Amino acid sequence: MGFDIAIDGPAGAGKSTIAKGIAKRMGFIYVDTGALYRAVGLYMLDKGIPTDDRDKVSAALPEITVDIEYENEEQQVLLLGKNVTPYLRTQEVGEAASVTSAYPEVRDKLLDLQRTLAEKYDVVMDGRDIGTVVLPDADLKIYLTADSRVRAKRRFDELKAKGGDPDFFEVLKEVEERDYRDSHRETAPLKQADDAVLLDSSRMSVEEVLCTIEGLIREKRA
Ligand code: DC
């Protein structure tokens, strides 16, 4: 029997850092589901399809294939067979993903791929609806969150480190808008599963979060 871990939470809570760390320590496969939604967002941007037009976005979906491959244990996302991983982590693509991921047609399209991966491998999967919709029977569910100011500060530092000149309050506004959109959509909104363990990383180091989750895995496996 496999062991699957679901990590959900808002943007900037540190899900991918934590999920990657756990996958490495446990020898599991890390699945970044946000990257799948980002690939769909990227396609719409590239084709000039307005992301706020649900009909046009849905009509374009049959043209798309999204797949995952692993290269040196790093997830690569293939859009129509082309590796688009380097183009997914921009603010613009994140916004497009946040808008288009609200459409049930988009979520349906990506559901099977996520479930198949979890059937095949022991996974640590991060996203917004993994514990609630994608893997309701996951062996361990974590809801990882942090104060929106702390998350905005992390994002602000990231942008600065990349040589940008961000405005903190602008970044905070974007974080809060994304939270609102992700948690108020009708289909599979961001929310804590009833059986998920809540971890607030606002005042925890990465190592503390990793150790806490390792402890929870040991308990579940005992
Ligand atoms: O985690 P991320 O920032 O890469 O996600 C980008 C967007 O994709 C996010 O704003 C909401 C959406 N998303 C989702 O709806 N469901 C998931 N499981 C993962 C991401």
Side-chain angles (χ1 to χ4, degrees):
M1 268 296 277
F3 194 94
D4 294 324
I5 303 172
I7 303 185
D8 291 301
K15 295 188 300 292
S16 68
T17 305
I18 298 303
K20 268 188 200 161
I22 290 293
K24 201 169 176 124
R25 291 184 185 190
M26 308 298 301
F28 286 17
I29 296 273
Y30 165 54
V31 185
D32 164 13
T33 64
L36 305 176
Y37 289 94
R38 283 172 183 262
V40 172
L42 175 69
Y43 182 84
M44 303 304 158
L45 289 176
D46 277 356
K47 291 278 163 183
I49 296 167
T51 51
D52 57 356
D53 188 327
R54 176 175 169 181
D55 291 340
K56 288 203 172 122
V57 168
S58 302
L61 290 176
E63 300 165 11
I64 312 180
T65 58
V66 181
D67 291 298
I68 282 185
E69 265 183 11
Y70 289 88
E71 247 173 49
N72 303 322
E73 293 175 21
E74 290 282 327
Q75 172 179 304
Q76 308 294 323
V77 178
L78 307 182
L79 175 62
L80 288 161
K82 179 180 169 228
N83 189 343
V84 292
T85 313
Y87 314 112
L88 300 179
R89 290 271 136 216
T90 67
Q91 184 68 14
E92 194 192 12
V93 172
E95 290 292 319
S98 176
V99 175
T100 54
S101 65
Y103 307 141
E105 297 82 357
V106 172
R107 309 203 68 81
D108 271 359
K109 170 133 191 136
L110 299 174
L111 191 58
D112 278 354
L113 173 59
Q114 297 172 77
R115 287 194 175 146
T116 306
L117 286 165
E119 272 165 27
K120 265 209 264 322
Y121 308 106
D122 288 342
V123 294
V124 185
M125 196 174 273
D126 85 13
R128 302 293 188 288
D129 62 334
I130 310 305
T132 49
V133 176
V134 180
L135 305 177
D137 298 324
D139 300 278
L140 176 64
K141 298 181 187 178
I142 306 287
Y143 190 83
L144 186 65
T145 188
D147 187 80
S148 59
R149 285 179 162 263
V150 172
R151 290 184 286 119
K153 175 71 170 57
R154 289 177 188 160
R155 177 85 194 127
F156 174 83
D157 290 343
E158 224 174 77
L159 292 169
K160 268 200 128 166
K162 282 186 192 157
D165 181 23
D167 175 81
F168 176 76
F169 291 100
E170 198 49 46
V171 176
L172 178 63
K173 190 168 143 252
E174 277 165 14
V175 164
E176 290 180 340
E177 277 172 5
R178 178 107 79 95
D179 284 357
Y180 186 86
R181 209 166 32 231
D182 291 351
S183 51
H184 286 79
R185 65 183 180 217
E186 261 178 45
T187 311
L190 167 66
K191 78 172 196 306
Q192 186 182 343
D194 293 338
D195 50 352
V197 178
L198 175 67
L199 284 182
D200 185 330
S201 73
S202 306
R203 281 167 206 83
M204 285 171 93
S205 68
V206 169
E207 188 55 32
E208 280 172 320
V209 176
L210 289 173
C211 286
T212 307
I213 297 178
E214 277 184 316
L216 292 166
I217 297 171
R218 272 197 297 276
E219 267 173 38
K220 290 277 177 188
R221 287 186 141 172

